[in-house]
Amino acid sequence: MTNYLKMLKKILKNNIGMKLTRFLLILTIKTPLIYIVRFYRRKKILILLYHGVSKNTDSKHIFIESFEKQMSYIKKNYTVISLEEFYDILENKKPLKNTTAIITFDDGYYNNYLYVLPILKKYDLPGNIFLSTKYINIKSFIWLDEIEFIVNKI
């Protein structure tokens, strides 16, 4: 823990009003915001939700290069766990590690397999996919994709 964070913790315990406000202002100016946010959220879990990854920059899904940069950052700065591990932590009342994250994907798009899986494997990160089972083996769009298809045809 940096000296700034140790000082912040000490000040918060003593609750000293105006000095705290001044200290936080100085801390914010001299310390990258990410460290302040991470200190505040240290015993909370970050859940990242994605729908898909695309090689196309004008897609509704995240651009593949941005996704890879995010996964690189997450790997370096968080302990990433699966939903099963999170369930085990809750059930057995285990302590949550600092800066824990869960990576999830909704709908089960094919690009999750095509683009996401290789990136998650590269960084050795667990991912959790929630499939829209209604659309398995059916040649039909999810309603949001249908709207997107219609709008793009106009």
Side-chain angles (χ1 to χ4, degrees):
M1 190 179 329
T2 67
N3 290 336
Y4 289 122
L5 297 179
K6 286 179 185 176
M7 288 176 13
L8 177 60
K9 193 173 182 179
K10 185 176 181 180
I11 288 172
L12 289 174
K13 281 185 177 178
N14 294 333
N15 195 15
I16 48 179
M18 281 304 284
K19 288 184 181 178
L20 173 63
T21 304
R22 186 167 182 259
F23 173 77
L24 288 175
L25 180 61
I26 292 168
L27 179 68
T28 304
I29 292 167
K30 293 190 175 190
T31 305
L33 183 60
I34 190 67
Y35 295 116
I36 297 168
V37 172
R38 286 182 66 205
F39 175 77
Y40 173 73
R41 296 190 47 84
R42 68 190 178 283
K43 290 293 182 182
K44 296 178 181 176
I45 193 157
L46 172 67
I47 299 179
L48 299 167
L49 167 65
Y50 298 93
H51 282 272
V53 174
S54 175
K55 285 191 172 183
N56 198 350
T57 56
D58 62 350
S59 170
K60 68 178 175 190
H61 297 142
I62 186 170
F63 184 51
I64 191 168
E65 290 176 13
S66 299
F67 178 73
E68 182 152 7
K69 286 178 185 175
Q70 289 178 16
M71 292 304 102
S72 174
Y73 176 84
I74 292 296
K75 177 66 176 182
K76 291 175 189 167
N77 295 286
Y78 287 82
T79 300
V80 181
I81 61 173
S82 67
L83 286 173
E84 291 83 5
E85 291 172 289
F86 185 54
Y87 178 78
D88 183 53
I89 288 168
L90 293 176
E91 276 296 302
N92 297 307
K93 296 181 177 31
K94 294 179 181 177
L96 192 60
K97 294 179 182 175
N98 285 345
T99 61
T100 301
I102 295 175
I103 303 168
T104 67
F105 298 87
D106 274 1
D107 305 324
Y109 286 101
Y110 179 64
N111 62 46
N112 293 170
Y113 173 76
L114 196 61
Y115 304 131
V116 171
L117 185 59
I119 293 170
L120 292 179
K121 281 185 173 182
K122 177 180 177 180
Y123 293 102
D124 193 30
L125 296 170
N128 304 275
I129 298 177
F130 296 97
L131 292 175
S132 295
T133 56
K134 177 180 177 183
Y135 297 95
I136 296 175
N137 291 327
I138 293 178
K139 296 196 188 270
S140 177
F141 287 117
I142 294 174
W143 70 270
L144 187 59
D145 293 335
E146 189 170 353
I147 292 170
E148 180 184 32
F149 179 77
I150 292 167
V151 168
N152 287 336
K153 283 277 206 181
I154 298 175

